Amino acid sequence: MGLSYILRRLLVMIPVFFLVVTAVFFMIRFAPGGPFSSEKKVPPQVLKNLEAKYHMDEPLVQQYFRYLGDLSRFDLGPSFKHSNRTVNEIIAEALPVSMELGLIALCWALLIGITAGGLAALKPNTLYDYIPMSLSIMGICLPTFVIGPLLVLVFGLWLGWLPVAGWNSWQDRLLPSLTLGFAYAAYISRLTRGGFMEIRHQDFIRTARAKGLTETQILTKHALRGGILPVVSYLGPALAGIITGALVTETIFNIPGLGRFFIESALNRDYTMVMGTSLLYFSLIFLCNFLVDIIYVVLDPRVRYE
Amino acid sequence: MPLSPAQSAVPQVLNLGNGGEPKDLDPHITTGVPEFHILMNLLEGLVSKDPKTLAPIPGVAESWKTSKDGLTYTFKLRKNAKWSNGNAVTAQDFIFSWVRLLTAETASEYAYQAFYIKNGKAFNEGKIKNPNQLGLKAVDPYTLEVKLENPTPFFLSLLFHHSLYPVHQATIEKFGSRWTRPENFVGNGAFVLSKWEINKVVSLKPNPHYWDKETVKLTEANFFPIDKHETEEKMFRAKNLHTVDDLPLEKLPVWQKDNSGVFKNHPYLGTYYYWFNCTKAPLNNKKVRQALSLAIDRDRIVRFVTRGGQIPATMFTPPGTGGFQPQSRLPKDGSQIAKAKQLLKEAGFPDGKGLPTIEILYNTSDNHKKIAEAIQHMWKENIGISAILFNQEWKVYLDNQHSKNYMVSRAGWIADYNDPNTFLDMFVSNGGNNHSGYSNTAYDQLIESAKKERNTTKRFAIFQKAEDILLEDLPVMPIYIYSRNYLLSNEVQGWHPNIEDIHPLKYISIATK
């Protein structure tokens, strides 16, 4: 049962992936300007030579099939902008950085979010509830480009405890991951609180209480599994978003991650790089959602593979 | 020379904010300023520049002679010039490199820097196939003879440009486009490439084979690509950087008041201007263009909008370019508005009536927007002309500008070399960088004759005439002359602020304050 469900999900991915490749390929080609348009006018002869170098002198459809062919060999082609590197090489350098930043940020988000949310749910309508929940509203409202520089100002410049930018030592990881994780922590705390509050009033919790379990036992043994479900379903998109959507954090802290390449490549019309990063992001989002669906089934006995 | 005690005690490591991530470090491929900052230390041309005066000084060539007609340069190469792998730098290396620059397949955007060499242009366009027909000859391994198309008085200054640096033939033939990776790179400059992590750092170490290695004090230089000026400025304050590439506009007033000496401000060889599309009504009417140019207050723009010590552009060529001091022909402030109104009336649009709304095109950026808004306001206030603003993403903007699909379009020009020609030959009829559609035979002839004139006084007189025509016809509306605003730690020695913003690391050292 479970296996056929997983297989079905994976099979569905193939046509969707194909659609994404096609859409991105043609959309970026139809955008005005090209990789070689520059401020100083490029002489026609030079332009012709450049186009020949990247097979751009061929008809578009032929280029499309050439790209599909390369893709089937996992060759994402040379970058137009960074002319001595291939897209594969750039991704190999930048993706681990983004992953590391994203995973640390997610750990912060879970740690802060579940603690605050759980505390709030345990003592609703007290200061334990009001303070974390007010903070979380702030976290949701304040954008990273405000929080980041603020953290840098306080911990980097005024107190001088942590580096202001860079990606070398472990200290460099702290401020960017906190900046990135803050908004997610805020969401998670609200989801956790909501999930727990809902489950507290369910029959099986009342039964647990009736048989004389302590509040802590109820919380950890019975309520946690159900209460955390909304957080789990949020984790899929969050993980994908946190890895792919770190552009602002990466720029503020000058981190060599993939988010900067994703945006820059679109602005530079670096066709191969746009394709490479888009396809990677698509795969990541798909994979994260897929994993979450599986975990969901494991956690909630009511859900079955359908 | 022994190190002074202060120097030997301090680690000689320089950390620089360097703007964007380098596209490549192949001198024939790159076009940007961040790449040039790095390349001038990795490779050395025939001629270098004095870090203080910017005058040509011996580089790989220890001496040179010019023929009487100014058409032939003979360079004597120093025998101890070496590549970083120990090979000797020879005349043949320069010929290989310049032929590569001109070869169509290299697709160099700066190939035109070698068009001054005899047959350079014809070879690049494929009209001549044999590179032996170029005006380049290795008389012996250490003597290079260069024949030019015209006596190009700024030829020596051109040789400092990265496109004319030598490259190592065997390395390029072995590694192709990957020769610029740190593990493959072979250069002849004072430094070698030791590390290049994309979007993180480019590191340089001294070249052990460099002929003048005694002068080099630094043991390491790190160029950090930092897109965000705010980040750069914070890194400077945290002492992670010795210098920043640029400052955020909002921070300028703060640093201008700082008196610790780290804030640097000086003019820069570049002009900020608006193109007028001369091919379409109503801007094909010279009087309308003149009225628009008279109606803006350049002084207020630099004082209240850009605020970084820019100079109001009452001329097109920045004053002091190659020693040339152009006359002011445009009003610095809004003192000639009556004349602007008069011109508008003569053009058939009294008080702006009947004139279509002027569209100002600019690439998306806060600073460009602020300037465009100021100009929009001045036109409305002073001569009753309405304008609307269009911002477009960089590539779309370039596309529209190059295909003349605009009315008024923002632009800037930074000198390729320190000579008025780099600014003024842009406006010749059908010039590749002339996006206004402007054409004036008298102007073309002046620029052509300046290429042949060897007497500096006469040459500058020709350029002044060209400026006069340009500022009368106004295919462009000059707004301000660029300035550089940056921070430099007091620990850095041997760094001389200059209009070309050139700072060879060879002369730089770190000292305690």
Side-chain angles (χ1 to χ4, degrees):
Chain A
M1 264 281 266
L3 196 67
S4 80
Y5 169 79
I6 293 171
L7 270 178
R8 204 149 14 101
R9 283 288 301 260
L10 284 175
L11 278 177
V12 168
M13 188 187 167
I14 296 169
V16 180
F17 186 82
F18 192 71
L19 255 159
V20 172
V21 175
T22 314
V24 178
F25 185 90
F26 287 100
M27 267 163 69
I28 187 75
R29 293 301 172 116
F30 291 136
F36 309 123
S37 50
S38 72
E39 193 164 19
K40 293 187 178 173
K41 187 144 182 207
V42 185
Q45 186 58 40
V46 172
L47 196 65
K48 250 171 75 187
N49 294 322
L50 279 168
E51 283 175 348
K53 199 167 150 186
Y54 289 93
H55 303 290
M56 276 175 60
D57 46 352
E58 296 169 358
L60 197 56
V61 178
Q62 195 180 335
Q63 291 181 51
Y64 172 68
F65 283 109
R66 175 187 291 279
Y67 188 81
L68 286 184
D70 290 344
L71 194 63
S72 65
R73 291 186 299 274
F74 293 101
D75 176 7
L76 296 169
S79 162
F80 284 78
K81 164 103 198 286
H82 306 280
S83 40
N84 67 353
R85 285 164 208 257
T86 63
V87 175
N88 291 45
E89 282 171 330
I90 294 174
I91 289 179
E93 251 184 87
L95 183 64
V97 176
S98 287
M99 295 275 261
E100 192 186 340
L101 173 65
L103 288 176
I104 303 175
L106 197 68
C107 290
W108 281 121
L110 285 172
L111 188 76
I112 300 172
I114 293 180
T115 315
L119 211 63
L122 216 57
K123 308 221 184 261
N125 303 321
T126 64
L127 277 185
Y128 292 105
D129 185 12
Y130 295 145
I131 294 176
M133 285 307 109
S134 320
L135 277 176
S136 87
I137 281 289
M138 250 175 69
I140 291 168
C141 297
L142 279 180
T144 27
F145 61 81
V146 173
I147 296 181
L150 214 65
L151 287 177
V152 172
L153 198 65
V154 175
F155 295 101
L157 290 175
W158 290 350
L159 298 172
W161 292 347
L162 292 169
V164 297
W167 195 252
N168 299 303
S169 60
W170 66 267
Q171 290 99 326
D172 284 333
R173 268 69 172 168
L174 289 177
L175 290 184
S177 58
L178 265 176
T179 306
L180 186 60
F182 198 52
Y184 291 93
Y187 273 110
I188 290 174
S189 71
R190 306 221 124 226
L191 288 171
T192 312
R193 182 181 181 273
F196 277 117
M197 293 298 277
E198 196 192 313
I199 217 147
R200 278 164 67 96
H201 302 295
Q202 303 256 342
D203 291 344
F204 74 96
I205 299 286
R206 199 179 315 140
T207 312
R209 208 169 273 140
K211 67 181 183 185
L213 293 181
T214 65
E215 274 301 305
T216 322
Q217 278 173 316
I218 293 171
L219 185 76
T220 50
K221 275 211 177 129
H222 298 276
L224 191 67
R225 258 178 80 163
I228 209 118
L229 276 178
V231 176
V232 172
S233 53
Y234 172 67
L235 271 186
L239 182 61
I242 218 165
I243 292 173
T244 59
L247 166 79
V248 179
T249 314
E250 284 174 13
T251 320
I252 293 171
F253 293 96
N254 211 43
I255 297 167
L258 207 55
R260 281 161 80 185
F261 287 105
F262 185 47
I263 303 299
E264 271 169 25
S265 63
L267 295 179
N268 291 322
R269 306 286 189 272
D270 189 341
Y271 293 150
T272 43
M273 196 69 203
V274 171
M275 291 298 293
T277 42
S278 307
L279 295 182
L280 182 77
Y281 282 2
F282 165 74
S283 313
L284 269 175
I285 292 169
F286 180 87
L287 202 74
C288 291
N289 283 322
F290 180 58
L291 285 177
V292 162
D293 284 352
I294 292 174
I295 296 172
Y296 209 82
V297 178
V298 176
L299 278 181
D300 189 345
R302 287 169 302 181
V303 182
R304 287 280 166 265
Y305 300 110
E306 270 304 316
Chain B
M1 197 175 73
L3 291 171
S4 69
Q7 278 171 341
S8 55
V10 183
Q12 296 295 307
V13 177
L14 184 73
N15 296 318
L16 312 99
N18 196 38
E21 165 70 23
K23 177 182 151 87
D24 199 344
L25 287 174
D26 183 327
H28 298 147
I29 301 293
T30 65
T31 52
V33 174
E35 291 88 346
F36 186 36
H37 283 164
I38 302 172
L39 274 172
M40 70 172 81
N41 300 298
L42 292 175
L43 298 166
E44 184 174 54
L46 288 168
V47 171
S48 289
K49 277 196 176 185
D50 184 285
K52 241 184 195 161
T53 64
L54 304 176
I57 55 168
V60 171
E62 53 186 0
S63 67
W64 51 86
K65 276 202 308 257
T66 319
S67 66
K68 281 223 174 68
D69 58 4
L71 288 173
T72 309
Y73 280 77
T74 312
F75 295 92
K76 281 276 171 206
L77 274 55
R78 62 182 78 243
K79 299 222 163 64
N80 56 350
K82 295 268 179 355
W83 291 98
S84 54
N85 64 357
N87 292 357
V89 181
T90 63
Q92 189 52 44
D93 286 325
F94 282 90
I95 295 179
F96 166 77
S97 178
W98 294 356
V99 169
R100 179 175 185 255
L101 170 68
L102 285 168
T103 303
E105 285 71 35
T106 310
S108 173
E109 291 180 36
Y110 265 124
Y112 66 83
Q113 293 284 68
F115 286 0
Y116 304 97
I117 297 166
K118 194 167 166 44
N119 289 334
K121 193 169 184 202
F123 180 75
N124 182 247
E125 286 168 354
K127 288 177 192 143
I128 291 176
K129 303 274 180 232
N130 187 350
N132 292 333
Q133 284 175 271
L134 289 167
L136 300 171
K137 194 169 133 198
V139 180
D140 63 61
Y142 297 99
T143 311
L144 177 68
E145 192 186 274
V146 183
K147 284 202 162 50
L148 304 180
E149 286 280 346
N150 290 304
T152 311
F154 49 89
F155 184 64
L156 287 179
S157 145
L158 213 57
L159 291 176
F160 189 72
H161 190 268
H162 57 78
S163 57
L164 296 172
Y165 290 164
V167 289
H168 191 253
Q169 181 168 3
T171 306
I172 289 177
E173 281 165 1
K174 187 165 171 203
F175 297 108
S177 68
R178 301 172 75 87
W179 77 272
T180 51
R181 309 284 289 242
E183 61 273 22
N184 306 335
F185 198 93
V186 173
N188 72 327
F191 291 82
V192 288
L193 185 62
S194 65
K195 191 162 74 178
W196 182 0
E197 290 177 45
I198 199 159
N199 266 356
K200 193 169 172 187
V201 70
V202 175
S203 298
L204 271 49
K205 287 240 156 67
N207 174 0
H209 294 283
Y210 184 57
W211 62 271
D212 192 17
K213 64 178 178 223
E214 281 72 29
T215 308
V216 180
K217 302 287 186 303
L218 295 176
T219 56
E220 193 181 327
N222 300 304
F223 291 85
F224 294 96
I226 309 167
D227 299 327
K228 214 169 162 55
H229 302 327
E230 284 82 2
T231 303
E232 210 180 25
E233 194 248 7
K234 289 203 180 85
M235 286 175 79
F236 181 88
R237 280 160 66 192
K239 300 206 182 305
N240 297 341
L241 292 178
H242 290 102
T243 175
V244 304
D245 181 61
D246 211 340
L247 279 171
L249 203 56
E250 310 78 63
K251 282 283 182 177
L252 274 180
V254 181
W255 284 104
Q256 278 162 347
K257 279 189 217 112
D258 178 89
N259 47 20
S260 63
V262 298
F263 177 68
K264 307 285 173 198
N265 167 263
H266 59 79
Y268 185 47
L269 281 189
T271 307
Y272 187 98
Y273 57 92
Y274 278 2
W275 284 111
F276 288 141
N277 188 344
C278 300
T279 61
K280 278 184 204 156
L283 292 171
N284 55 1
N285 187 331
K286 187 161 99 183
K287 288 186 172 155
V288 176
R289 301 199 296 266
Q290 287 170 335
L292 290 174
S293 163
L294 289 175
I296 63 166
D297 187 334
R298 295 172 170 80
D299 195 44
R300 284 177 72 87
I301 293 175
V302 301
R303 273 194 300 142
F304 300 114
V305 185
T306 60
R307 294 181 299 174
Q310 290 84 356
I311 302 166
T314 56
M315 67 295 282
F316 187 77
T317 309
T321 309
F324 174 57
Q325 294 292 343
Q327 303 287 318
S328 282
R329 294 286 187 239
L330 303 173
K332 188 178 162 198
D333 47 27
S335 58
Q336 295 192 37
I337 286 159
K339 196 177 165 198
K341 284 183 174 160
Q342 177 62 29
L343 282 163
L344 213 51
K345 203 167 156 191
E346 287 169 23
F349 307 105
D351 296 321
K353 281 192 193 75
L355 197 71
T357 306
I358 306 283
E359 297 166 1
I360 303 178
L361 173 71
Y362 62 96
N363 56 300
T364 312
S365 133
D366 260 3
N367 294 355
H368 299 329
K369 184 175 171 214
K370 284 176 194 155
I371 294 165
E373 280 170 350
I375 287 175
Q376 178 189 37
H377 178 76
M378 288 169 181
W379 281 347
K380 184 81 206 167
E381 194 87 330
N382 295 340
I383 51 174
I385 287 180
S386 357
I388 46 171
L389 311 185
F390 280 103
N391 71 311
Q392 286 175 346
E393 182 242 318
W394 179 242
K395 294 272 179 176
V396 184
Y397 147 87
L398 287 179
D399 212 40
N400 280 323
Q401 190 182 71
H402 293 183
S403 53
K404 297 193 185 65
N405 182 21
Y406 71 91
M407 282 173 92
V408 175
S409 168
R410 178 214 83 84
W413 186 262
I414 307 291
D416 284 333
Y417 45 90
N418 192 359
D419 189 89
N421 192 62
T422 184
F423 286 95
L424 295 173
D425 81 344
M426 181 162 50
F427 302 101
V428 296
S429 308
N430 301 319
N433 292 309
N434 177 356
H435 303 308
S436 65
Y438 172 69
S439 170
N440 183 328
T441 337
Y443 186 88
D444 298 351
Q445 279 164 359
L446 283 171
I447 297 300
E448 202 48 43
S449 64
K451 288 197 171 125
K452 301 195 169 89
E453 181 56 61
R454 298 183 64 206
N455 178 304
T456 310
T457 323
K458 284 187 191 156
R459 220 172 138 250
F460 285 180
I462 296 174
F463 282 133
Q464 184 56 55
K465 275 189 200 150
E467 274 261 335
D468 290 345
I469 294 181
L470 190 68
L471 299 180
E472 165 77 17
D473 289 351
L474 291 172
V476 290
M477 176 172 82
I479 298 170
Y480 64 77
I481 307 298
Y482 279 94
S483 67
R484 287 276 297 130
N485 290 287
Y486 63 97
L487 305 173
L488 176 71
S489 158
N490 290 329
E491 295 165 18
V492 178
Q493 308 287 306
W495 176 297
H496 308 281
N498 58 62
I499 50 169
E500 286 184 64
D501 203 32
I502 285 172
H503 311 285
L505 299 182
K506 178 178 164 179
Y507 304 103
I508 289 172
S509 61
I510 315 277
T512 45
K513 266 173 246 170

